[in-house]
């Protein structure tokens, strides 16, 4: 029987709402939590509704931050001690690597289900919808399309067991902003051809140049921003870390109130960026959205518009923290005396897949040379 009852959260225990057991698992095929003792099935309440974040964005004022998105206390320890309510034992959880532990005496499952000082517990979790088998199929299909040029070691050593499910930390923002932009737009009024030298002609044009300004309000629902510094898209010469950004977006409206049992069997990565750290990224994303939406108002400028300046004024914003699901496959490629880490990522909700594959450089060079020879000969080159 499936219900929408919420888990009882008492003293570090996530308990079954029917029988009180702590032995709970998540089924990605059914999308529900299941009590292993009484077999009751349920889901947590919708995160936005629980937090009151389903209200009108257009009325937002200032900055609102949930408990899970609050500033991380850098001075606090990752190691948290919970007192088991089942037997009274004290159980230690290292929140840098895990948000659940099992009591070594009574076997009750204890969870960090409340916010602790080091900011390790999010407000919401978006459960996995794709199974491990489905993720493996997605990754194999992605690699198969690139197998001809792939390094032979990558093709030979693929191991489904190395596809792991990871919960990545994100800050999700609802934003009300004012966008102002200015630039120069050109409207072509004449096009003509002139001779340049003896053997060449050149097409030229005359255009009227106008000062262009645009100002409008922008309402954005669920802008999703990386809150792990390592995964936030910074350039690295040793790995394709930011590939996870290429499998967005997530269906964030389906996120539920955080419950550590959704994390069972998966790994998770801790948030280490605060709201202040991502505010610049949010502004840049708003600016990009604004320029995209603005294009529909610029049809008369046939030669385009060159933007020379602009600004984004955030009038109201609210943040919540969320774990979102990614299936990851990694492969180490030896490069000289070092290694390069390739990733293939699968959105654990939508199945969107992207990644990098190590290239067989000799085969690529050979094929490029043969293609060039074929073109120069005026014929076709077929590869089987």
């Amino acid at each position: 029987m499936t219900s929408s009852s919420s888990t009882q959260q008492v003293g570090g225990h996530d308990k079954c709402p029917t029988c009180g057991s702590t032995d709970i698992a998540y089924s990605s095929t059914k999308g529900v939590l299941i009590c292993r003792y009484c077999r009751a099935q349920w889901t947590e309440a919708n995160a936005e509704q629980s937090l009151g974040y389903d209200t009108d964005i257009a009325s937002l004022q200032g900055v609102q931050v949930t408990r899970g998105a609050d500033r991380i206390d850098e001075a606090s320890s990752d190691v948290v001690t919970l007192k088991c309510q089942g037997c009274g034992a004290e159980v230690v959880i290292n929140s840098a690597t895990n948000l659940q532990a099992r009591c070594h005496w009574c076997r009750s499952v204890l969870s960090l289900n409340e916010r602790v000082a080091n900011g390790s517990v999010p407000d919401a979790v978006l459960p996995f919808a794709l199974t491990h088998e489905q993720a493996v199929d997605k990754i194999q299909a992605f690699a198969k399309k690139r197998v001809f040029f792939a390094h032979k070691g990558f093709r030979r050593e693929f191991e489904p067991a190395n596809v792991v499910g990871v919960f990545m930390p994100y800050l999700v923002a609802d934003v009300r902003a004012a966008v102002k932009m200015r630039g120069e737009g050109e409207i072509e009024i004449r096009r003509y051809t002139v001779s340049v030298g003896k053997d060449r002609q050149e097409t030229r044009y005359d255009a009227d140049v106008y000062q262009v300004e645009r100002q409008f309000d922008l309402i954005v629902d669920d802008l999703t921003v990386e809150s792990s510094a390592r995964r936030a898209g910074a350039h690295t010469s040793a790995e394709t870390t930011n590939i996870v950004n290429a499998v967005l977006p997530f269906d964030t409206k389906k996120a539920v109130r955080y419950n550590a049992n959704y994390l069972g069997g998966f790994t998770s990565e801790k948030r280490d960026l605060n709201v202040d750290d991502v505010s610049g990224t949010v502004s840049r994303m708003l600016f990009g959205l604004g320029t995209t939406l603005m294009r529909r108002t610029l049809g008369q400028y046939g030669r385009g518009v060159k933007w020379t300046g602009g600004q984004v004024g955030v009038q109201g914003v609210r943040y919540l923290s969320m774990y979102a699901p990614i299936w990851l496959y990694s492969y180490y490629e030896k490069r000289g005396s070092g290694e390069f880490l390739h990733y293939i990522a699968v959105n654990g909700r939508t199945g969107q897949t992207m990644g990098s594959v190590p290239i067989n450089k000799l085969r690529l060079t050979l094929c490029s040379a043969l293609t060039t020879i074929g073109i120069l000969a005026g014929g076709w080159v077929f590869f089987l």
Side-chain angles (χ1 to χ4, degrees):
M1 177 175 141
T2 303
S3 71
S4 58
S5 300
S6 295
T7 307
Q8 301 171 23
Q9 296 181 338
V10 182
H13 287 83
D14 285 325
K15 293 186 176 182
C16 170
T18 301
C19 70
S21 170
T22 63
D23 196 1
I24 300 167
Y26 172 68
S27 170
S28 58
T29 56
K30 295 182 178 180
V32 297
L33 293 172
I34 302 176
C35 175
R36 289 194 176 102
Y37 184 75
C38 72
R39 308 309 297 172
Q41 301 179 18
W42 72 97
T43 58
E44 286 295 329
N46 179 270
E48 279 196 351
Q49 295 172 2
S50 298
L51 295 166
Y53 270 37
D54 56 346
T55 55
D56 185 20
I57 301 173
S59 61
L60 282 179
Q61 295 283 349
V63 179
Q64 301 175 31
V65 180
T66 58
R67 291 187 304 169
D70 207 352
R71 176 169 288 278
I72 301 167
D73 185 355
E74 301 293 346
S76 65
S77 172
D78 287 330
V79 178
V80 179
T81 302
L82 296 179
K83 190 175 185 67
C84 177
Q85 298 301 304
C87 67
E90 292 189 343
V91 179
V92 175
I93 295 179
N94 184 346
S95 65
T97 58
N98 202 353
L99 299 183
Q100 270 192 332
R102 191 178 283 272
C103 176
H104 46 277
W105 292 109
C106 70
R107 306 302 294 165
S108 293
V109 178
L110 286 81
S111 305
L112 290 179
N113 53 33
E114 298 292 339
R115 177 187 174 275
V116 292
N118 59 11
S120 62
V121 180
D123 300 299
V125 58
L126 191 57
F128 275 87
L130 265 69
T131 64
H132 180 266
E133 292 76 14
Q134 290 171 323
V136 169
D137 289 343
K138 292 282 185 182
I139 291 171
Q140 287 179 323
F142 178 88
K144 187 176 181 180
K145 293 179 181 179
R146 297 154 180 83
V147 69
F148 184 80
F149 290 109
H151 191 279
K152 62 180 180 180
F154 174 83
R155 292 179 288 168
R156 183 179 62 249
E157 297 168 15
F158 178 78
E159 175 53 59
N162 292 334
V163 177
V164 296
V166 184
F167 279 101
M168 294 292 187
Y170 292 88
L171 287 171
V172 182
D174 295 337
V175 191
R176 180 172 73 93
V179 181
K180 297 180 180 179
M181 300 188 68
R182 61 183 179 276
E184 295 181 344
E186 293 187 358
I187 299 178
E188 184 178 312
I189 58 174
R190 188 166 73 97
R191 183 183 292 261
Y192 51 95
T193 302
V194 298
S195 297
V196 179
K198 293 182 179 181
D199 303 320
R200 187 166 65 90
Q201 289 189 322
E202 187 176 272
T203 300
R204 296 180 180 178
Y205 70 93
D206 295 331
D208 290 335
V209 180
Y210 296 86
Q211 294 298 314
V212 179
E213 292 189 2
R214 292 291 186 270
Q215 179 176 340
F216 56 93
D217 294 328
L218 187 62
I219 303 296
V220 181
D221 188 12
D222 288 358
L223 190 67
T224 306
V225 187
E226 285 274 6
S227 60
S228 167
R230 186 180 179 189
R231 311 296 176 189
H235 174 72
T236 172
S237 59
E239 60 182 1
T240 56
T241 298
N242 61 353
I243 203 68
V244 295
N245 296 318
V247 298
L248 271 64
F250 293 103
D251 52 342
T252 52
K253 295 298 180 188
K254 300 291 182 64
V256 298
R257 193 177 66 178
Y258 173 76
N259 181 317
N261 288 299
Y262 285 104
L263 278 59
F266 304 104
T267 60
S268 59
E269 191 160 300
K270 183 179 173 183
R271 175 175 71 92
D272 58 7
L273 294 178
N274 293 307
V275 166
D276 292 343
D277 299 322
V278 303
S279 59
T281 300
V282 169
S283 293
R284 288 189 293 273
M285 293 173 74
L286 292 172
F287 195 83
L289 287 169
T291 55
T292 299
L293 294 171
M294 209 178 304
R295 288 172 188 161
R296 66 187 64 173
T297 72
L298 304 171
Q300 69 270 39
Y301 301 105
R303 292 286 307 172
V305 176
K306 177 183 178 182
W307 298 112
T308 58
Q311 62 186 42
V312 175
V314 176
Q315 299 166 328
V317 59
R318 59 190 179 197
Y319 290 92
L320 64 84
S321 63
M322 180 187 76
Y323 267 161
I326 298 284
W327 287 104
L328 274 180
Y329 176 72
S330 58
Y331 178 81
Y332 281 99
E333 177 192 7
K334 291 184 178 180
R335 289 188 176 180
S337 59
E339 291 182 326
F340 187 89
L341 183 56
H342 292 270
Y343 288 103
I344 300 177
V346 180
N347 186 312
R349 299 287 301 183
T350 67
Q352 176 69 26
T353 306
M354 186 54 66
S356 66
V357 174
I359 298 298
N360 185 325
K361 295 181 180 179
L362 178 61
R363 177 172 288 187
L364 179 63
T365 301
L366 178 61
C367 290
S368 298
L370 290 174
T371 301
T372 302
I373 293 171
I375 292 173
L376 291 176
W380 295 91
V381 177
F382 295 91
F383 298 102
L384 303 176

